Amino acid sequence: MSEKEDLVKQKAEAAAKAKAAALAKKQAKAEAAEKPEGEIDIAKQKAEAAAKAKAAALAQKQAKAEAAEKPEGEIDIAKQKAEAAAKAKAAALAKKQAKAEAAEKPEGEVDIAKQKAAAAAKAKAAALAKKQAKEKTAEKPEGEVDIAKQKAAAAAKAKAAALAKKQAKEKTAEKPEGEMDIAKQKAAAAAKAKAAAAAKAKAAAAAKNRTAVQESEEFDTPSEISPNQSKLDQIVSAIESHVGQGALLENYINRLSKDVPTLVANPDTYFSIAKFLRYDEQLDFSYLSELHGTDFESHMEIYVHLHSFKMNQSVALKVKLDRDTPVIPSLVPLWSGANWPECEAYDLLGINFYEHPDLKRILLGEDWKGYPLRKDYEPYDVEV
């Protein structure tokens, strides 16, 4: 059939449709004039339904006829266009019906209907997105699928976080100022308690490991004798002769600190031993090079490093203190260089050196709460 004949046929079909529509309209008017109002409405609805059905059947017939003449690629495009048009038409019709129903409903029912409609729309959109994602995933290789999943998960998390933030803001906006302050204080207190518990647990584990390592390393006695062993024996013998047999709790060579002879004093004899080391003519430990304190959680400890130029030898003097009441005599009367180190130990650990000429906080100030180098220290100000 030629192109001209097709055009003539289409014009004839269009004229026939128009004529049939005009005739149907004329008959409908004539019938309506004879019927009462109630029957007219029903007749109109029936006529509209019949017209829609007839138009749909005709459109379907034409689509089939066109599809039979088209190649496969064009049919797919036509199907997609038809589906899109049908969806748009259905959406428009649903919107129109919803508006009509909303106009007849009271305000409360309208809100519920809106919520239901929104929920249904969200569910439908989610289902459609899921379906499209599955179709895309089926077409992608494995590597791209994993990346797509990660992106989708990240997007979902971001969306959930944004929603949670929005809800929190809305709740905050609804609360009076007093309740907001209380909520902030509770949140700050909870954060502080959580941080303190974590710090305490961490410090306890670290202290346990540190003590175990220190004990295993300090008291390890290798087969080779230290070159400072004879000097340690000399110092210990002199102390026991002049101060007393129970003056030292223990003594050893500290292999981790250049084989320095280490003396652990009894708290009651700490000052007497230090005085003997300072003024004995044979020993003459005239120089105090270091003094510091340490919190071992089970006890406090003072470490003093002394040097004798006469013996050309260093020695470490240590003393263990009760952690709850760490009190020990000051060494300032023996070595003036102990002044500031003792103030520092007092400032950061709370160790009290009695008979110190001017014991004070030198870093933090007298109004500071707590001692920062203690393992259980908690800041007084939560924001510090």
Side-chain angles (χ1 to χ4, degrees):
M1 190 180 287
S2 67
E3 205 174 299
K4 190 173 181 182
E5 287 174 350
D6 285 341
L7 186 61
V8 170
K9 190 178 179 181
Q10 290 173 6
K11 283 183 179 180
E13 287 177 358
K17 284 180 186 175
K19 192 172 180 181
L23 181 61
K25 193 174 182 183
K26 186 176 178 183
Q27 288 175 351
K29 281 185 179 179
E31 289 174 3
E34 296 171 3
K35 290 179 182 177
E37 190 175 347
E39 291 183 12
I40 291 171
D41 290 339
I42 294 166
K44 276 185 181 179
Q45 291 172 3
K46 286 182 178 179
E48 286 176 1
K52 282 180 183 177
K54 191 173 180 181
L58 183 61
Q60 194 174 3
K61 185 178 178 183
Q62 288 176 347
K64 281 183 180 179
E66 289 173 2
E69 295 172 7
K70 288 180 182 177
E72 191 176 346
E74 290 184 16
I75 291 171
D76 291 338
I77 295 165
K79 276 185 181 178
Q80 291 172 4
K81 286 183 179 179
E83 286 177 3
K87 283 180 183 176
K89 191 172 180 181
L93 182 61
K95 194 173 181 182
K96 186 177 178 182
Q97 289 175 348
K99 281 185 179 178
E101 289 174 3
E104 295 171 4
K105 289 179 181 177
E107 190 175 346
E109 290 183 15
V110 171
D111 291 340
I112 294 165
K114 279 184 180 177
Q115 291 172 3
K116 286 183 178 178
K122 282 182 182 177
K124 192 173 180 181
L128 181 61
K130 195 173 181 182
K131 186 179 177 183
Q132 289 174 347
K134 280 185 179 178
E135 289 172 357
K136 287 179 182 177
T137 302
E139 295 169 5
K140 289 180 181 177
E142 191 175 347
E144 291 184 15
V145 172
D146 292 338
I147 294 166
K149 280 183 180 178
Q150 291 171 4
K151 285 183 179 179
K157 283 181 182 176
K159 193 173 180 182
L163 181 62
K165 194 173 181 183
K166 186 179 178 183
Q167 289 174 346
K169 281 185 179 178
E170 288 173 356
K171 287 179 182 177
T172 304
E174 293 170 6
K175 288 180 181 178
E177 191 175 347
E179 287 184 17
M180 285 172 65
D181 291 340
I182 293 166
K184 280 184 180 178
Q185 290 171 5
K186 284 182 179 178
K192 184 180 176 184
K194 191 175 180 181
K200 194 171 182 181
K202 189 176 179 182
K208 190 176 180 182
N209 293 336
R210 188 168 52 249
T211 303
V213 170
Q214 186 181 28
E215 287 177 356
S216 63
E217 290 178 341
E218 283 189 355
F219 297 100
D220 183 26
T221 55
S223 56
E224 186 181 347
I225 298 173
S226 169
N228 292 330
Q229 185 63 50
S230 60
K231 291 183 179 179
L232 174 61
D233 294 340
Q234 179 189 347
I235 295 167
V236 171
S237 177
I239 290 172
E240 289 178 347
S241 299
H242 291 81
V243 182
Q245 287 292 327
L248 290 173
L249 295 178
E250 56 185 304
N251 62 85
Y252 56 91
I253 297 292
N254 190 345
R255 297 282 182 174
L256 299 178
S257 182
K258 298 179 181 180
D259 281 17
V260 63
T262 303
L263 309 170
V264 182
N266 189 314
D268 297 332
T269 58
Y270 167 72
F271 186 81
S272 300
I273 293 170
K275 188 176 181 180
F276 176 73
L277 294 172
R278 171 70 179 86
Y279 292 115
D280 182 77
E281 291 182 0
Q282 298 299 319
L283 302 179
D284 192 24
F285 286 93
S286 58
Y287 179 58
L288 184 148
S289 62
E290 184 180 352
L291 186 152
H292 66 258
T294 307
D295 178 12
F296 285 95
E297 293 189 298
S298 58
H299 65 279
M300 292 283 187
E301 191 170 284
I302 296 293
Y303 176 95
V304 184
H305 197 276
L306 305 171
H307 186 77
S308 170
F309 294 98
K310 182 179 284 188
M311 295 180 67
N312 191 25
Q313 180 61 47
S314 295
V315 69
L317 177 63
K318 296 168 70 172
V319 61
K320 296 180 180 180
L321 306 176
D322 179 63
R323 194 171 183 277
D324 296 328
T325 54
V327 180
I328 200 74
S330 171
L331 297 184
V332 175
L334 305 177
W335 295 277
S336 59
N339 189 338
W340 282 77
E342 288 184 349
C343 287
E344 184 181 41
Y346 165 72
D347 191 4
L348 301 178
L349 289 163
I351 298 172
N352 187 12
F353 298 87
Y354 65 84
E355 295 185 6
H356 188 285
D358 186 23
L359 191 62
K360 61 184 178 182
R361 303 192 88 152
I362 59 173
L363 298 173
L364 301 176
E366 294 297 335
D367 58 342
W368 189 272
K369 307 291 183 183
Y371 304 99
L373 288 189
R374 287 197 175 212
K375 296 296 192 299
D376 58 354
Y377 173 69
E378 292 182 20
Y380 178 74
D381 187 345
V382 71
E383 295 180 0
V384 173

